[in-house]
Amino acid sequence: LLDPGAAASAPRAEPDRSAMPRVPDILGQEGLMEADGEAAGEPGDLTREPLRFPAERDVRLQALARGDEGFVLGLGYSTQRGYGGTHPFAGEIRMGEVAVEILPPELGFAIDIGDIVLTECQMVNQFKGSKTAPPQFTRGYGLVFGFNERKAMSMALVDRAMRATELGEDVTAPAQNVEFVLYHSDNIEATGFVEHLKLPH
């Protein structure tokens, strides 16, 4: 029989707090993954500026993170069914808490106002190459609030599909059409527009 007190008295290992390498970065070190392009300058802010086209990737990612989960899931699924030309695998899915800081101008230093839970996903996609890019793995990215692997994965699938033009691929499916995706993923807009049909015309 096991001693019930043995587990309580067993030495506890300290958690490893060193940085854990990301799978896509490991593939990148081997020359198999496209470079992770950093956006130049300040990212756009959909909460302060209206959506304009052509939309840069930072704005597209914001719209997907704010978009209706069911719509993004449906589009992500469509890319796997052949309407988007991607053949992905989940390179990495992470979940954790991050600190939220604000920088009041009158103080001149950052203040931690709380923590939020985020789920992040990087999808790794096969890419045969095009006239503008060599054969390599390409990435799709998803970052959403809360513990929501399904939406983060769907977002990463749709992000990669919307990169078709950038990678020299033909745009043949709804998930690759940036305007279609971004205009129709807004659940507030969609709900209002559909429900207004019950009002007198």
Side-chain angles (χ1 to χ4, degrees):
L1 294 173
L2 295 174
D3 177 8
S9 63
R12 297 195 183 271
E14 285 297 314
D16 183 2
R17 300 202 185 277
S18 60
M20 180 179 286
R22 296 175 179 273
V23 172
D25 294 340
I26 294 169
L27 292 171
Q29 290 171 359
E30 299 292 326
L32 301 172
M33 171 69 76
E34 68 174 332
D36 189 12
E38 294 291 324
E42 284 290 314
D45 186 350
L46 276 179
T47 66
R48 297 179 182 272
E49 296 291 331
L51 180 62
R52 290 190 172 84
F53 294 99
E56 296 296 324
R57 191 171 182 213
D58 57 338
V59 171
R60 296 191 317 244
L61 289 170
Q62 287 176 51
L64 288 175
R66 295 163 52 94
D68 180 70
E69 181 181 345
F71 181 79
V72 176
L73 171 65
L75 284 178
Y77 176 58
S78 75
T79 69
Q80 295 177 278
R81 300 279 299 158
Y83 300 94
T86 60
H87 305 282
F89 62 90
E92 190 157 291
I93 302 171
R94 292 182 178 215
M95 189 274 294
E97 290 186 351
V98 297
V100 178
E101 293 183 343
I102 61 170
L103 180 61
E106 61 274 10
L107 295 180
F109 57 88
I111 299 172
D112 186 339
I113 60 170
D115 297 325
I116 58 172
V117 175
L118 296 175
T119 304
E120 178 186 51
C121 175
Q122 290 199 49
M123 283 289 178
V124 177
N125 297 266
Q126 297 175 21
F127 177 61
K128 295 177 182 175
S130 67
K131 293 178 182 175
T132 59
Q136 60 192 323
F137 287 123
T138 57
R139 65 182 85 214
Y141 185 76
L143 181 72
V144 299
F145 293 113
F147 183 68
N148 195 344
E149 292 175 340
R150 180 176 55 224
K151 184 172 181 188
M153 292 171 66
S154 301
M155 181 178 168
L157 290 168
V158 177
D159 169 51
R160 171 54 183 84
M162 287 195 299
R163 296 182 61 211
T165 302
E166 163 196 340
L167 294 168
E169 298 171 327
D170 293 331
V171 175
T172 59
Q176 295 172 308
N177 184 316
V178 175
E179 289 189 35
F180 175 82
V181 173
L182 300 189
Y183 273 141
H184 297 92
S185 63
D186 184 334
N187 52 3
I188 304 297
E189 168 76 15
T191 299
F193 199 75
V194 169
E195 290 191 357
H196 97 280
L197 296 173
K198 65 187 177 186
L199 300 174
H201 277 67

